[in-house]
């Protein structure tokens, strides 16, 4: 995930429109009792992160990347999902040609109303925010591993419990985190590309795995496993999916997770996978993203410190229960 230190030129315009984007003032709070959702396992969630880290950095064109992709497919299939692997190639900012895979797992294909859940599964190929060894790849325990772990756990829970009233599609986006090295500044884009970041979501949003696919709304998970995480509104979610964001944050508060989910604006000018899902797939998608007002994304972000020491079972469990409860209350 990337956040431009220099906001997009339109950031102030986006913020102005986003503040009226359906989360405050005209918000309708559901007073009906929440339907109970199945419980996730904190131990299972932690183990899913640990397994990914054990593959090593999941950088495209590496053995760890290929092994992780195969494991994702086998896990989703073991949980009864219909799995599609969307393979494609692209160039990253320095001209390297990379082989990428979006992994899509679908549950209850007979249900017409569908909810899309997503996270990126690749990891940053260099620790460009580190003070030392800026070219070393990172473990990506939180930035990559945590969102995937939540989705794997949701798949496991769905496989062993009664179905919600909606179909569920899970997408693991590839190629999200090979944007420009921090020390290089911005690199001119090639034709047809809007960012060096988020390659998998750019591709899928314009080349869906199923003709005519759509979803009622989407939830993106990015860096959702660190201790003391805080999830704020972001302007892209406010502008495009304000009602969805209100629904999810209200659910979190009703479950007692208000220490994690903050009802105030955090990031503006955010570049993440939901940008392209909103813009091209035309699916209103929000982003649950760990944002720290003092450090943007925490001291671990894009450094060697993004390892298992960062991961909190409590945070993983909270996010998973919020998403499950949202699904089971549709």
């Amino acid at each position: 995930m990337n956040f431009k230190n220099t906001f997009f030129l339109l950031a102030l315009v986006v913020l102005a429109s986003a503040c009226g984007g359906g989360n405050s003032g005209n918000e309708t709070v559901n007073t009906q009792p929440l339907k109970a959702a199945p419980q996730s396992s904190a131990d299972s969630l932690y183990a899913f992160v640990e397994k990914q880290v054990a593959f090593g950095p999941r950088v495209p064109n590496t053995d760890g990347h290929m092994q992780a992709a195969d494991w994702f497919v086998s896990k989703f299939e073991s949980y009864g999902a219909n799995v599609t692997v969307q393979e494609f190639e692209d160039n990253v900012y320095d001209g390297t040609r990379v082989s990428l895979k979006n992994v899509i797992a679908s549950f209850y294909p007979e249900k017409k109303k569908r909810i899309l859940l997503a996270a990126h599964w690749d990891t940053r190929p260099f620790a460009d925010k580190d003070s030392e060894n800026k070219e070393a790849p990172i473990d990506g325990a939180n930035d990559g591993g945590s969102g995937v772990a939540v989705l794997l756990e949701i798949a496991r829970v769905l496989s062993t419990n009664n179905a919600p009233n909606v179909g569920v599609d899970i997408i693991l986006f590839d190629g999200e985190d090979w944007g420009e090295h921090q020390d290089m500044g911005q690199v001119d884009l090639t034709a047809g590309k809007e960012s060096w970041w988020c390659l998998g979501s750019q591709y899928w949003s314009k080349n869906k795995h199923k003709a005519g696919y759509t979803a009622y709304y989407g939830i993106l998970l990015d860096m959702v496993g660190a201790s003391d995480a805080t999830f704020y509104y972001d302007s892209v979610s406010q502008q495009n999916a304000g009602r969805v964001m209100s629904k999810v944050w209200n659910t979190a508060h009703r479950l007692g997770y208000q220490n994690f989910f903050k009802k105030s604006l955090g990031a503006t000018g955010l570049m993440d996978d939901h940008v392209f899902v909103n813009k091209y797939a035309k699916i209103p998608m929000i982003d649950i993203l760990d944002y720290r007002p003092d450090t943007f994304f925490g001291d671990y972000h894009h450094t060697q410190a993004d390892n298992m020491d960062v991961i909190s079972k409590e945070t993983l469990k909270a996010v998973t229960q919020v998403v499950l409860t949202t699904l089971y209350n549709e």
Side-chain angles (χ1 to χ4, degrees), residues 81-88 101-109 111 114-118 167-173 200-215 277 280-281 283 285:
N82 293 339
V83 180
T84 302
V85 178
Q86 187 180 53
E87 300 188 49
F88 63 105
K101 295 182 179 182
N102 291 329
V103 180
I104 303 108
S106 296
F107 292 85
Y108 324 119
K111 295 181 183 290
R114 310 200 64 77
I115 307 300
L116 175 61
L117 308 178
V168 179
D169 300 298
I170 293 172
I171 300 184
L172 306 186
F173 288 124
S201 56
Q202 287 188 66
Y203 184 85
W204 178 84
S205 295
K206 299 175 184 178
N207 304 275
K208 295 176 184 175
H209 66 289
K210 184 178 180 181
Y213 174 83
T214 191
V277 174
Y280 292 112
I283 296 170
M285 175 175 270

Side-chain angles (χ1 to χ4, degrees), residues 25-329:
N26 61 351
E27 178 181 315
T28 300
V29 178
N30 185 0
T31 58
Q32 296 296 316
L34 285 173
K35 297 177 185 177
Q39 286 294 309
S40 59
S41 165
D43 290 339
S44 176
L45 283 156
Y46 188 87
F48 282 142
V49 180
E50 201 168 41
K51 177 67 174 180
Q52 292 173 80
V53 171
F55 287 119
R58 281 83 66 209
V59 176
N61 293 351
T62 66
D63 288 342
H65 182 266
M66 291 185 288
Q67 292 165 8
D70 290 343
W71 182 71
F72 296 144
V73 171
S74 66
K75 291 303 290 184
F76 283 131
E77 289 179 341
S78 75
Y79 297 139
N82 293 339
V83 180
T84 302
V85 178
Q86 187 180 53
E87 300 188 49
F88 63 105
E89 293 188 347
D90 207 339
N91 292 331
V92 296
Y93 76 92
D94 63 0
T96 301
R97 191 73 172 168
V98 291
S99 297
L100 302 173
K101 295 182 179 182
N102 291 329
V103 180
I104 303 108
S106 296
F107 292 85
Y108 324 119
E110 72 282 2
K111 295 181 183 290
K112 291 185 178 180
K113 182 178 179 180
R114 310 200 64 77
I115 307 300
L116 175 61
L117 308 178
H120 79 88
W121 69 272
D122 62 303
T123 55
R124 187 78 166 149
F126 31 71
D128 50 337
K129 288 187 177 180
D130 242 323
S131 57
E132 299 178 358
N133 205 9
K134 289 176 173 285
E135 301 304 320
I138 68 172
D139 285 346
N142 198 36
D143 194 359
S146 62
V148 172
V150 170
L151 298 183
L152 288 167
E153 178 64 3
I154 289 173
R156 187 193 69 79
V157 169
L158 293 177
S159 74
T160 56
N161 289 275
N162 292 332
N165 292 325
V166 291
V168 179
D169 300 298
I170 293 172
I171 300 184
L172 306 186
F173 288 124
D174 202 356
E176 191 268 358
D177 228 352
W178 204 331
E180 300 99 320
H181 194 288
Q182 180 171 271
D183 294 343
M184 292 189 63
Q186 291 185 328
V187 177
D188 290 342
L189 294 165
T190 56
K193 191 179 269 79
E194 293 187 41
S195 175
W196 295 113
W197 305 83
C198 306
L199 301 181
S201 56
Q202 287 188 66
Y203 184 85
W204 178 84
S205 295
K206 299 175 184 178
N207 304 275
K208 295 176 184 175
H209 66 289
K210 184 178 180 181
Y213 174 83
T214 191
Y216 189 54
Y217 62 81
I219 300 174
L220 176 67
L221 304 167
D222 197 353
M223 300 189 298
V224 292
S227 301
D228 302 319
T230 48
F231 308 113
Y232 286 81
Y233 300 155
D234 75 276
S235 60
V236 175
S237 297
Q238 273 191 322
Q239 184 183 38
N240 293 281
R243 291 184 181 180
V244 180
M245 188 174 62
S246 292
K247 175 191 298 208
V248 173
W249 261 251
N250 286 337
T251 297
H253 280 233
R254 294 178 72 184
L255 291 173
Y257 295 130
Q258 58 270 17
N259 288 342
F260 293 109
F261 287 79
K262 306 295 186 180
K263 289 187 175 184
S264 58
L265 183 65
T268 61
L270 179 67
M271 175 56 67
D272 210 349
D273 287 316
H274 67 321
V275 170
F276 301 103
V277 174
N278 279 296
K279 183 173 183 179
Y280 292 112
K282 303 302 182 184
I283 296 170
M285 175 175 270
I286 65 167
D287 195 0
I288 301 178
L289 167 77
D290 186 5
Y291 175 81
R292 314 293 177 97
D294 53 344
T295 61
F296 291 125
F297 303 116
D299 294 337
Y300 66 86
H301 184 243
H302 290 182
T303 73
Q304 297 295 322
D306 188 359
N307 54 39
M308 291 304 299
D309 292 340
V310 172
I311 299 301
S312 161
K313 291 182 180 182
E314 180 187 9
T315 307
L316 290 170
K317 171 83 172 179
V319 173
T320 307
Q321 286 308 130
V322 169
V323 177
L324 280 170
T325 303
T326 302
L327 291 177
Y328 277 84
N329 279 270

